Amino acid sequence: VLGFCCEACKKVIFHVPSELEAGTLVGRVNLKECLQSAESISSSDPVFKILEDGSVYTTSTVSLSSEKKTFTILLEDIQEHIEKKIHVNLVADKEKTQKTRHTRDTVLKRTKRRWGPIPSVMIENSLGPFPLQIQQVQSDTAQNYTIYYSASGPGIDQDPKGLFYIEKETGNIFATRAVDREQYPSFQIICFASTPDGYSPEVPLVHTIRIEDDNDNAPHFTQDVFEFCVPENSKPGVVVGQMTAEDRDEPFTLHTTLKYRIVSQTPPVTPVFGIHGDTGVISVLSPQLDRELVSKYTLLIEVRDMAGQPFGLCTTGTAVIKIEDTNDNAPSFKHMQYEARVEENRVNVEILRIAVLDLDEPGSPGSGAVFEITRGNDDRSFEITTDRNTNEGILCVVKGLDYESSRQRTLVISVNNEAPYVLAPHSRQLAQSTSTVIVHVIDVDEGPVFKPCLLTLEVKECEEMGTLIGRYVAEDPETGNSEGICYRIAPGQCNWINIAEKTGEVRTSKVLDRDVGDMRRGQCNITVLAIDRSGKTGTGTIQVIIRPGNKNYPRIAKTEYIMCRDRKPICLTAQDADVSPFSMPFVYRVADRSLSASWKVTPHNDKSAYLSPRGDIPFGKYTIPISVSDNGGKQGVSYITVNYCNCDTPSDCTEEGTDPRDLPRAGPSVSLGVWAILAMILGSLLLLLILITICGCCGSGIMHRQVTDDCANHNLIISNTEAPGEEVMDHNIIPLQNTNDQGGYGVKTGDQQPFEMVKGKGHTLESIKGSGHQTLGSVKEVGGGGGGGQPMMDTCRYSYSEWHNFTHPRLGEKVHLCRQDEEQKHSEDYLLSYNYEGKGSLAGSVGCCSDQHEEEALDFLDQLEPKFRTLAETCIKR
């Protein structure tokens, strides 16, 4: 491809395949158009070579991964000092590449045969003579030869100019000096052939020159000194570490095949380590690794190439192996017996230092001593610790010793290490080392001693002043008696206890009361001083505990109450300032025998009780003495004032000191009038019942004449029936008062009002309206007295509500009876929720009401008004 230079842009674009091999012709640039007098032609990218005719060749393989590559061609005229630049852009053409490959696969093309020389070999560090001919290239159509070469290897950044050259006339390639393979492992020589006028008819020829390795580099270790550690008494085969070496010669050849061996061992004792010749791994060879004998080994290691052959190059390195300590040596005491002295009563004093021997490494857990007192320290008077600096045992007295009780103490002390003991190979288990320490106690003149040191005394509350509560004395340890010892209470103690100076008797100095001052705490600790003749002092402590007494009697806090005519019991609650067991439970009773006949006390709980009258008592104020006893038998009397008032609530009785018996008599007369009126009404009803019974026996004509046929028509009746019905009046239905006749039986309705049903034609009903008693059938009293007028019965003018009040309870009675079987138990098949009985059943509904007999007198339902007849037909199927 020929690219033309544009003066304006000076840019050339070549479309090339994405992969270009070395020596590939990229294209040709018309250099004459840009600068005819160009004396120097160069490329900014060494991968591309620019010939004099403008041909652009690759010097190595090029991959256009980014699909574009740019470089610059520089033209210089040295004499005229003119410089021109041409920018070349290479664009990867994938379609062209695929098309070209496809063409090559399908179309055969005749090409000229080319000479392909085999790679040349040049010995590293060759001795010459130089220049040394390497290869010769020839062309049939050109005579001038030039080369462009590139090196590969660690020294590729170094420009090997002048290393190779080619004769223009013959094409012989020469090397000017020896080559180091480690710097330049190989070279690629691109040879160009051109005609005398500068035209290159031949494609450049790529020639490879490989530098053959020479064993000119000795192996070397990666470290100057290798340091390893291994525990003592390790078994053979335990890996210690690995020596590593490198060789700069060609890999995977004998020049880099290394062998390791141990040259020497320091100290020069029996060899205890071995090394693997191929890997350089050092391992334990002998089990005789004793740190106490040798703590460190130094090995001189040799590494040689050529697989360890004598003519190979070698280097030595150093390996330092430190033997780590294990606790294979048990500690032992320097002496089997020690003696120490200490004064009695001395505390926290060092009396002895015990040294031990241990061959393990000092400062390590294998040599750190741990002491223990195994015998003779039952009272914990001694303690032994370890001095970390000297590894000695320090024996101290932590509790004062008593010469009088024991003049000599014998201790057995054992020693171990912080780390567990490890048994060395081919050795026997050692016994634990022990030592005996004899401690002599030195007698010292000491002060009196209280026995016990703490004395607890108890005293009851409310005791009289000067009460003896105990005795607290001390003894002289030397003499064993209390002669000549004086006792005192240290200043600042509680002032309600004192002690006798000579005898040590403890007495109260005032009456003890747990409710006063510092005695509220219930106890006091007193420090007592005992002083002997020589002035030496001993101390002791008395703990005085005040036991609570029964000094308070229970009292009822509230003493005035109001009781209304409902006679609701009064709750009495007492309080006691004492504590258990001298408080609750309380026992209440009426203290006055004359009042106990009319008033009573009922227990409620441990603290309270109920006060209530025993029967009917007149209204008025009552003062009742109530005796309350606590659990300790302490008894107190409280006077309770009860105002028994004729009221509904206590707030209605507001006049203090007013006797309800002095109130107007309207209240009592009204109360008594109710019962009188009720008796009068009952008497009238009884008389009326007798008259009706006599009339019923003589004949019923009179009753028929008293009731007209249209009696019910004069009343306004609300009917919910779908069609007018026949209104039937039964003249035998006569409402009466409840006479408690034996001929009937009583049934209670929902309003809990009694009525009487008489079998046959006569049926009675009691209807209660408001607070008075009225009967169905207008009973008119002539006069306002009790029976002064004659009762008159109006057989007509019955209101609807009166008929409803008469009929509804009777219907409820019958329904209630229908719900019971012969044993007066509720039937299970009555008033049940609807259940599907099946399709096409021939039997009707069967219930308890369908099996009723005539003696139950259900025929009165036929004589009711239409509204109730419809309801009866719905409820009962005859």
Side-chain angles (χ1 to χ4, degrees):
V1 179
L2 178 61
F4 297 94
C5 176
C6 177
E7 187 65 24
C9 62
K10 297 180 180 179
K11 182 181 295 184
V12 177
I13 299 176
F14 294 111
H15 292 273
V16 296
S18 58
E19 294 289 339
L20 297 175
E21 298 179 357
T24 302
L25 176 62
V26 177
R28 185 173 297 167
V29 181
N30 191 352
L31 304 178
K32 300 297 183 180
E33 182 180 354
C34 292
L35 184 61
Q36 295 183 357
S37 59
E39 298 178 357
S40 175
I41 304 173
S42 61
S43 173
S44 63
D45 192 345
V47 177
F48 300 95
K49 174 66 176 177
I50 313 301
L51 303 183
E52 295 179 357
D53 61 351
S55 300
V56 181
Y57 288 92
T58 58
T59 60
S60 61
T61 303
V62 178
S63 176
L64 301 180
S65 58
S66 61
E67 299 183 357
K68 186 175 182 181
K69 191 172 183 64
T70 302
F71 65 94
T72 302
I73 300 175
L74 180 61
L75 304 177
E76 293 181 321
D77 188 346
I78 300 175
Q79 296 180 359
E80 299 294 335
H81 301 287
I82 299 174
E83 184 176 291
K84 296 288 185 179
K85 292 182 179 179
I86 301 175
H87 301 283
V88 180
N89 293 337
L90 303 181
V91 179
D93 192 352
K94 296 182 179 180
E95 295 181 358
K96 183 176 179 181
T97 302
Q98 294 176 358
K99 183 177 179 181
T100 303
R101 291 179 179 176
H102 180 71
T103 303
R104 291 177 181 176
D105 293 339
T106 57
V107 180
L108 297 177
K109 183 178 179 182
R110 184 180 177 85
T111 57
K112 181 181 178 182
R113 291 183 300 171
R114 299 184 61 199
W115 174 61
I118 62 176
S120 300
V121 177
M122 181 178 176
I123 302 299
E124 181 186 13
N125 302 322
S126 176
L127 299 179
F130 296 100
L132 179 63
Q133 183 178 356
I134 303 300
Q135 186 62 272
Q136 181 184 13
V137 295
Q138 293 181 351
S139 175
D140 296 338
T141 58
Q143 290 82 22
N144 296 331
Y145 300 95
T146 58
I147 61 172
Y148 182 83
Y149 58 92
S150 62
S152 62
I156 191 171
D157 295 334
Q158 301 179 9
D159 187 9
K161 289 185 177 179
L163 182 57
F164 299 98
Y165 72 92
I166 188 171
E167 291 182 348
K168 290 187 177 182
E169 295 80 6
T170 61
N172 292 325
I173 302 174
F174 293 91
T176 60
R177 61 181 182 273
V179 181
D180 186 2
R181 193 206 67 84
E182 286 71 37
Q183 186 177 7
Y184 299 106
S186 64
F187 293 91
Q188 279 188 344
I189 305 298
I190 302 177
C191 303
F192 302 91
S194 61
T195 59
D197 58 357
Y199 176 69
S200 298
E202 298 287 347
V203 178
L205 182 65
V206 179
H207 180 61
T208 302
I209 300 177
R210 187 175 64 84
I211 307 303
E212 185 175 352
D213 182 48
D214 183 23
N215 190 19
D216 58 343
N217 294 284
H220 63 279
F221 287 99
T222 57
Q223 299 179 18
D224 295 336
V225 178
F226 291 84
E227 294 183 356
F228 306 106
C229 295
V230 62
E232 65 175 328
N233 302 319
S234 296
K235 297 180 180 180
V238 175
V239 176
V240 177
Q242 183 178 11
M243 302 287 290
T244 56
E246 296 178 349
D247 197 325
R248 296 184 58 195
D249 291 327
E250 185 175 0
F252 309 109
T253 62
L254 282 176
H255 297 166
T256 55
T257 303
L258 307 180
K259 287 289 184 179
Y260 301 88
R261 72 181 184 92
I262 298 177
V263 178
S264 62
Q265 172 184 297
T266 304
V269 294
T270 304
V272 292
F273 298 102
I275 189 170
H276 193 277
D278 296 332
T279 61
V281 174
I282 301 175
S283 59
V284 177
L285 186 64
S286 173
Q288 303 300 325
L289 286 179
D290 190 353
R291 192 208 63 84
E292 288 71 35
L293 296 178
V294 180
S295 61
K296 182 174 65 175
Y297 291 88
T298 302
L299 302 180
L300 183 63
I301 309 297
E302 178 193 82
V303 58
R304 184 182 296 270
D305 59 12
M306 300 302 292
Q309 298 183 24
F311 52 83
L313 303 179
C314 65
T315 304
T316 57
T318 303
V320 177
I321 303 175
K322 182 180 178 181
I323 308 302
E324 294 181 344
D325 181 51
T326 59
N327 189 21
D328 57 343
N329 294 278
S332 60
F333 290 99
K334 289 184 178 181
H335 303 284
M336 299 304 296
Q337 184 173 337
Y338 296 88
E339 290 188 3
R341 297 178 179 273
V342 61
E343 295 179 353
E344 63 174 334
N345 300 322
R346 292 288 303 273
V347 179
N348 296 327
V349 58
E350 177 184 329
I351 62 174
L352 182 65
R353 280 182 171 261
I354 304 174
V356 295
L357 297 176
D358 198 325
L359 299 179
D360 293 320
E361 184 177 1
S364 65
S367 64
V370 178
F371 298 90
E372 181 183 4
I373 302 176
T374 58
R375 195 166 55 201
N377 192 30
D378 297 335
D379 57 353
R380 305 293 180 183
S381 299
F382 299 91
E383 185 180 82
I384 187 168
T385 58
T386 303
D387 188 344
R388 298 299 178 184
N389 297 325
T390 62
N391 206 31
E392 294 177 331
I394 303 175
L395 182 62
C396 300
V397 178
V398 295
K399 186 185 296 184
L401 302 178
D402 188 7
Y403 173 82
E404 286 72 24
S405 61
S406 178
R407 300 183 180 184
Q408 180 176 298
R409 299 288 294 273
T410 302
L411 306 177
V412 177
I413 300 176
S414 63
V415 62
N416 289 310
N417 289 128
E418 297 177 4
Y421 179 75
V422 178
L423 185 63
H426 310 293
S427 61
R428 294 181 301 173
Q429 181 70 39
L430 298 178
Q432 186 180 32
S433 178
T434 59
S435 179
T436 303
V437 179
I438 299 175
V439 181
H440 300 279
V441 183
I442 301 175
D443 185 23
V444 176
D445 186 13
E446 51 190 341
V449 177
F450 284 97
K451 294 183 180 180
C453 297
L454 176 62
L455 177 64
T456 302
L457 299 177
E458 294 184 356
V459 57
K460 291 183 180 180
E461 190 178 10
C462 303
E463 291 287 350
E464 297 181 357
M465 183 177 62
T467 301
L468 177 64
I469 62 175
R471 189 167 179 265
Y472 195 36
V473 295
E475 295 180 357
D476 190 343
E478 281 75 21
T479 62
N481 54 50
S482 302
E483 296 180 359
I485 299 178
C486 299
Y487 304 95
R488 296 177 185 174
I489 295 179
Q493 308 293 318
C494 53
N495 57 359
W496 38 275
I497 296 295
N498 56 24
I499 187 170
E501 182 178 0
K502 299 297 183 181
T503 61
E505 294 180 348
V506 181
R507 298 178 180 271
T508 60
S509 60
K510 60 175 62 175
V511 178
L512 303 184
D513 190 351
R514 290 171 56 93
D515 299 331
V516 178
D518 57 354
M519 288 184 281
R520 294 179 180 177
R521 294 178 296 177
Q523 71 176 31
C524 179
N525 293 335
I526 305 172
T527 301
V528 180
L529 304 179
I531 306 171
D532 59 8
R533 294 188 180 92
S534 61
K536 295 187 180 299
T537 304
T539 59
T541 303
I542 300 177
Q543 185 182 50
V544 181
I545 299 176
I546 304 175
R547 292 188 301 176
N550 194 8
K551 64 178 181 179
N552 299 294
Y553 60 86
R555 300 178 182 179
I556 299 176
K558 184 178 179 181
T559 59
E560 294 186 359
Y561 298 91
I562 297 176
M563 177 181 289
C564 292
R565 59 173 173 261
D566 58 358
R567 301 158 60 98
K568 184 178 180 180
I570 298 172
C571 184
L572 304 178
T573 302
Q575 296 178 354
D576 194 340
D578 296 326
V579 296
S580 179
F582 303 109
S583 58
M584 297 183 295
F586 299 139
V587 178
Y588 294 80
R589 68 182 182 87
V590 179
D592 191 347
R593 292 185 178 180
S594 61
L595 292 176
S596 61
S598 56
W599 293 88
K600 64 178 180 178
V601 176
T602 305
H604 173 51
N605 51 32
D606 291 346
K607 193 175 183 181
S608 304
Y610 288 118
L611 175 63
S612 60
R614 289 186 178 273
D616 294 337
I617 60 174
F619 296 107
K621 282 190 176 181
Y622 297 89
T623 301
I624 307 167
I626 302 298
S627 172
V628 185
S629 302
D630 58 15
N631 193 34
K634 195 85 170 183
Q635 179 178 343
V637 178
S638 300
Y639 291 89
I640 308 300
T641 301
V642 180
N643 186 2
Y644 183 31
C645 184
N646 184 18
C647 58
D648 294 330
T649 60
S651 60
D652 297 340
C653 189
T654 58
E655 297 183 4
E656 298 181 359
T658 302
D659 190 351
R661 292 175 292 182
D662 297 336
L663 295 176
R665 299 177 61 87
S669 62
V670 172
S671 176
L672 295 175
V674 172
W675 295 100
I677 293 173
L678 181 60
M680 294 169 62
I681 292 175
L682 292 177
S684 300
L685 292 178
L686 179 60
L687 180 59
L688 181 60
L689 179 61
I690 295 173
L691 293 176
I692 292 175
T693 304
I694 296 174
C695 294
C697 294
C698 295
S700 60
I702 299 175
M703 294 300 296
H704 286 287
R705 287 195 297 269
Q706 290 179 354
V707 181
T708 59
D709 295 335
D710 58 349
C711 182
N713 295 330
H714 295 281
N715 296 284
L716 179 61
I717 299 175
I718 300 175
S719 176
N720 291 328
T721 57
E722 297 180 356
E726 182 181 359
E727 299 179 358
V728 180
M729 295 297 298
D730 190 354
H731 304 286
N732 294 325
I733 300 178
I734 301 176
L736 297 175
Q737 286 291 100
N738 186 7
T739 59
N740 297 328
D741 194 1
Q742 295 180 357
Y745 51 89
V747 180
K748 289 186 179 181
T749 64
D751 296 331
Q752 301 296 327
Q753 300 296 339
F755 66 91
E756 185 179 20
M757 260 178 58
V758 181
K759 296 182 181 180
K761 296 182 179 180
H763 303 280
T764 62
L765 172 68
E766 181 183 13
S767 176
I768 300 175
K769 297 181 179 179
S771 61
H773 298 276
Q774 297 180 359
T775 59
L776 183 64
S778 300
V779 180
K780 299 181 180 179
E781 297 181 0
V782 181
Q790 295 295 330
M792 297 178 63
M793 176 177 292
D794 188 358
T795 57
C796 299
R797 308 300 180 188
Y798 292 105
S799 64
Y800 170 76
S801 61
E802 292 172 343
W803 280 106
H804 178 271
N805 293 337
F806 170 73
T807 312
H808 181 71
R810 295 180 62 81
L811 182 60
E813 174 199 7
K814 302 304 294 182
V815 172
H816 177 75
L817 292 176
C818 290
R819 295 181 60 184
Q820 297 181 358
D821 54 13
E822 296 177 356
E823 297 179 359
Q824 301 300 320
K825 296 182 180 179
H826 289 279
S827 301
E828 301 295 336
D829 58 344
Y830 185 77
L831 294 182
L832 299 178
S833 59
Y834 173 78
N835 290 325
Y836 180 68
E837 299 179 352
K839 184 176 180 182
S841 176
L842 298 178
S845 298
V846 179
C848 62
C849 294
S850 61
D851 194 20
Q852 300 296 325
H853 301 284
E854 289 296 331
E855 60 269 21
E856 294 186 3
L858 299 179
D859 54 350
F860 75 96
L861 296 175
D862 296 333
Q863 302 174 3
L864 301 178
E865 291 182 5
K867 174 181 178 179
F868 298 98
R869 185 184 301 115
T870 304
L871 177 62
E873 291 176 356
T874 303
C875 296
I876 302 177
K877 183 177 179 181
R878 308 187 83 179

